[in-house]
Amino acid sequence: MRNDLPSGLFLTVLAIVTVLVPILHLVVPEGNVLHLSSYSVTLIGKYMCYALLAVAVDLIWGYCGILSLGHTAFFALGGYAMGMYLMRQIGTRGVYADPVLPDFMVFLNWKELPWFWQGMDQFWFAMIMVVFIPGLLAYVFGWLAFRSRVTGVYLSIITQALTYALLLAFFRNEMGFGGNNGLTDFKDLLGMDLKQPGVRIALFVATGVCLGFGYFACRYVVRSRFGRVVQAIRDAESRARFIGYRVENYKLWLFTFSAMLAGLAGALYVPQVGIINPGEFAPINSIEVVIWVAVGGRGTLYGAVVGAVLVNYAKTVLTDALPDVWLYALGALFVVVTLFLPKGIVGVLPDLKAKIDTLRLQRARRAR
């Protein structure tokens, strides 16, 4: 990190937040102005989940030129895997008190647990599915798309079609995922009540740690020889293929790894928010993620985090004060960034520093 000041600064800030938030929530009394409420802890934790998702998107878009407009499909699949585990933990505490079947299955007169729910009552198995299912879908989808040399806007449209197809599928009650209502009413995680402050803080810390490791892993990838080849593919795919690189394999590996990170972000998101439903598959959500990355500055990783936090904070404020204005503000923000800040918010800083250095040099020359 010595030669990467922004990354070092980001990880330092993340470490401070991960340590400071639990102290302000658990140690500082509620009457104190510095006390953080449960709502604030959950909100910050949600922002961190979104930041991990944004890093996953920036990895493939900023460094490989793969513009995915369906990456929230992998986010939602990871969330559903975690939701299935949490639903299996409810047992007889549900409305219908069935020890095996979730409430929505009893309501729909299901007689036995579907095969794809088997094993989801085990935490270790559910955690494997959190990354395996998004990774498997990304691998199959990427193998078909990249082998067919589908690129550019065509690939973006196909990824959007993928998440929309999953949206329609998960809305159906017969799919076995709760239909329109999704999965909710979670009770505990690893035998611990999700409503307890200590459990909430543990989830928050886990999210911070996963964001840090996810960021570090992505940074390691892009700084490696593999990452340099990927960036060469982004800049001149035909040339990279011509000199002998298996372009499809590089893109497939990166796309699959990114999907697994998105699935992990979704799994951390669900127990903190308390619900997962088909709305998470909505194509508009994937478009919003792309906007986060563009606003922050793609091809930097830390810019994706900045964009995710700032845009979602603005969304929280505007949807509360002016709910009808938010979508217009989001669209206007994307247009402004595209026209005037092509490198995003973090891209302004190097340009500003370069201008300041130029002015100082000119003044020094005049003084001579």
Side-chain angles (χ1 to χ4, degrees), residues 79 81-90 93 120-124 126-127 130 185-196 198-207 267-273:
M82 174 61 83
M84 292 166 71
Y85 165 77
L86 296 174
M87 290 295 289
R88 291 297 307 274
Q89 303 308 301
I90 296 175
R93 292 172 294 175
M120 295 304 291
D121 57 333
Q122 300 296 321
F123 181 77
W124 65 270
M127 293 306 98
V130 160
D185 195 30
F186 309 131
K187 305 296 184 184
D188 53 42
L189 174 65
L190 292 174
M192 298 177 289
D193 187 356
L194 286 170
K195 296 181 181 179
Q196 292 297 320
V199 178
R200 186 182 303 110
I201 287 299
L203 285 169
F204 176 86
V205 173
T207 304
L268 293 165
Y269 171 85
V270 168
Q272 296 184 80
V273 176

Side-chain angles (χ1 to χ4, degrees), residues 22-280:
I23 295 175
L24 296 180
H25 179 64
L26 296 176
V27 179
V28 178
E30 292 189 10
N32 195 298
V33 67
L34 296 177
H35 175 77
L36 274 181
S37 65
S38 300
Y39 171 78
S40 299
V41 173
T42 301
L43 189 64
I44 298 173
K46 185 171 71 171
Y47 290 167
M48 292 166 71
C49 293
Y50 287 154
L52 182 56
L53 174 60
V55 169
V57 172
D58 190 28
L59 179 65
I60 58 171
W61 184 33
Y63 290 92
C64 195
I66 302 173
L67 177 56
S68 173
L69 295 181
H71 234 58
T72 51
F74 309 120
F75 178 85
L77 288 173
Y80 265 97
M82 174 61 83
M84 292 166 71
Y85 165 77
L86 296 174
M87 290 295 289
R88 291 297 307 274
Q89 303 308 301
I90 296 175
T92 56
R93 292 172 294 175
V95 175
Y96 297 100
D98 192 292
V100 178
L101 297 180
D103 284 338
F104 73 89
M105 291 186 184
V106 179
F107 178 77
L108 295 172
N109 294 320
W110 290 47
K111 302 303 181 184
E112 60 182 9
L113 199 67
W115 65 268
F116 48 84
W117 278 75
Q118 300 294 335
M120 295 304 291
D121 57 333
Q122 300 296 321
F123 181 77
W124 65 270
F125 183 77
M127 293 306 98
I128 292 176
M129 293 299 105
V130 160
V131 294
F132 177 75
I133 296 300
L136 178 62
L137 177 62
Y139 182 85
V140 173
F141 176 86
W143 190 87
L144 294 172
F146 299 140
R147 296 280 173 170
S148 302
R149 298 190 180 182
V150 179
T151 59
V153 66
Y154 302 104
L155 181 63
S156 301
I157 293 173
I158 293 175
T159 56
Q160 193 170 57
L162 171 67
T163 189
Y164 188 65
L166 289 171
L167 168 69
L168 297 178
F170 274 72
F171 260 120
R172 301 174 66 88
N173 288 326
E174 57 267 31
M175 282 288 291
F177 295 104
N180 183 42
N181 296 322
L183 308 178
T184 186
D185 195 30
F186 309 131
K187 305 296 184 184
D188 53 42
L189 174 65
L190 292 174
M192 298 177 289
D193 187 356
L194 286 170
K195 296 181 181 179
Q196 292 297 320
V199 178
R200 186 182 303 110
I201 287 299
L203 285 169
F204 176 86
V205 173
T207 304
V209 171
C210 288
L211 174 58
F213 275 106
Y215 180 91
F216 187 82
C218 291
R219 180 184 177 277
Y220 176 80
V221 168
V222 300
R223 291 297 183 95
S224 66
R225 180 179 180 275
F226 177 93
R228 291 193 291 271
V229 174
V230 164
Q231 293 175 62
I233 293 172
R234 175 198 62 188
D235 297 335
E237 181 174 334
S238 58
R239 290 186 180 182
R241 180 179 287 108
F242 179 76
I243 61 178
Y245 287 106
R246 297 293 297 273
V247 171
E248 296 79 12
N249 293 344
Y250 282 88
K251 295 170 74 173
L252 179 59
W253 189 95
L254 198 71
F255 189 72
T256 303
F257 178 70
S258 174
M260 294 170 72
L261 281 181
L264 178 61
L268 293 165
Y269 171 85
V270 168
Q272 296 184 80
V273 176
I275 188 173
I276 178 71
N277 59 42
E280 297 296 338

